[in-house]
Amino acid sequence: MTDNESGPRGSSAYPLRRRAKRKKVYKGARLVLGGGASTIDCVVRDISLNGARVKVSDVTRLGGALRLVFPDGETLEAEVVREHGLEYGLSFKPGRRPSLAPPSDPAEAIAMEMDSPWLYGVLDQIAAPDFKASAEVQTAADELRQAYDHLKMLLGQRIGRY
């Protein structure tokens, strides 16, 4: 079954209306209700750019606006859009990208990988005075740095801010 077919668990009574790819997770979090008046422990079962599926441990009636708070402090404003037993579907308010959400576009996944500083570290080592690189190696390293920066810029234009 794909994310855009009927579900959950194959039931046609609950059609999935997901606009974004979901990532399966098993991560503890808290639901903060009423502006902080009460909290409920939950487990995030899957997450996307737009929402999440959470499970609570006992029967609780949830509805309306709340915050999903992870142990690292990440807080996402959300609204309950579905209830099925102990599981709730949350829709996130726009403006914040959940750190656990999968990329929505393959170009975004590539851009995120390119944010890793490993290549710049290698190029800096080649440029270091104690490396004593030949002129040919130094030129190739400079060209690689320029090409890498250009590729990051082009991907950024394609996907916008991620």
Side-chain angles (χ1 to χ4, degrees), residues 75-162:
T75 301
L76 302 165
E77 300 291 328
E79 181 179 346
V80 175
V81 293
R82 182 184 63 80
E83 176 186 351
H84 185 38
L86 298 177
E87 290 188 346
Y88 291 87
L90 305 180
S91 175
F92 297 138
K93 300 210 175 181
R96 184 119 188 251
R97 184 190 200 295
S99 63
L100 292 173
S104 59
D105 180 330
E108 183 179 348
I110 293 167
M112 289 174 71
E113 288 292 321
M114 290 183 75
D115 277 345
S116 171
W118 71 268
L119 180 60
Y120 285 121
V122 169
L123 295 173
D124 288 345
Q125 289 176 24
I126 292 171
D130 60 336
F131 183 71
K132 300 191 185 339
S134 69
E136 188 176 37
V137 168
Q138 189 60 52
T139 299
D142 291 342
E143 290 172 355
L144 179 57
R145 184 183 302 266
Q146 290 174 0
Y148 190 74
D149 289 341
H150 185 69
L151 179 58
K152 282 180 65 174
M153 186 259 319
L154 292 173
L155 286 171
Q157 288 175 346
R158 174 178 165 172
I159 64 174
R161 189 164 161 74
Y162 58 95

